[in-house]
Amino acid sequence: MTAPIPSHDLYFDDLAVGTSWVTTSRTVTEADVGAFAGLTGDRFPLHTSEEFARRTPFGTRVAHGLVGLTFAMGLMWPRTGQFDRSSIAFLGVKDWNFLQPIAFGESIHVEYEVVTHRASRTKKDRGIVEFDVRLLGADDVVLQRGTLALLLARRPADAS
């Protein structure tokens, strides 16, 4: 069941396995890749030198793999605000796979779905939710995929 991105806060109690969403899209630009290279210090020539990249199997520069993961994160919860009040912690990434390169100028979006939902055994006010996350490009080709986990608060009695 794909749900619209809510305009209100979601809590652990509002989610069920199978609930899914589709984000808006954004285009990966040369400026994005340059900024990422500057921020991280990763200036590997596959991402920063067209001359070098022409001699690779890709034939042109491509975005860093972590640009995709980073943008997937940004397209999801921070942009939608759906867990702004309930998110306690981002717990991690499991089995993140880089399946296809991300070309400069490619429009990407994310589809994500609740795959596990379990209440904390030690703290009654929270639970862990894992999401199957798919970063998609043109023609809905899956570029990257993995599992992201959040620790979410349960809905407080005074939250509507």
Side-chain angles (χ1 to χ4, degrees):
M1 131 178 107
T2 299
I5 303 287
S7 59
H8 62 282
D9 294 307
L10 292 176
Y11 290 84
F12 174 80
D13 307 282
D14 301 321
L15 303 175
V17 170
T19 304
S20 63
W21 301 269
V22 177
T23 70
T24 60
S25 65
R26 68 156 296 160
T27 300
V28 178
T29 67
E30 182 174 5
D32 293 328
V33 174
F36 187 85
L39 179 66
T40 63
D42 180 350
R43 291 183 173 82
F44 186 69
L46 175 61
H47 314 299
T48 59
S49 169
E50 189 61 38
E51 182 181 335
F52 175 89
R54 270 196 297 271
R55 297 187 308 267
T56 71
F58 301 110
T60 189
R61 291 176 294 162
V62 296
H64 304 73
L66 289 177
V67 165
L69 173 58
T70 302
F71 284 176
M73 291 289 301
L75 285 167
M76 294 165 53
W77 312 309
R79 180 174 272 189
T80 65
Q82 68 193 124
F83 301 120
D84 280 1
R85 293 197 178 154
S86 62
S87 183
I88 297 170
F90 175 61
L91 297 177
V93 179
K94 285 195 313 194
D95 301 319
W96 195 261
N97 294 289
F98 305 99
L99 304 171
Q100 297 290 324
I102 300 173
F104 289 29
E106 184 150 23
S107 288
I108 58 173
H109 70 279
V110 175
E111 294 177 356
Y112 56 111
E113 177 180 349
V114 176
V115 291
T116 65
H117 181 268
R118 61 187 181 279
S120 171
R121 285 180 231 121
T122 58
K123 297 188 178 180
K124 304 275 188 237
D125 66 338
R126 62 193 67 185
I128 298 169
V129 179
E130 291 184 330
F131 300 85
D132 175 45
V133 178
R134 296 167 306 283
L135 177 68
L136 297 103
D139 301 320
D140 288 335
V141 171
V142 179
L143 304 172
Q144 298 182 6
R145 185 174 191 168
T147 304
L148 304 180
L150 282 180
L151 180 62
L152 296 175
R154 297 195 80 133
R155 180 171 287 284
D158 62 348
S160 52

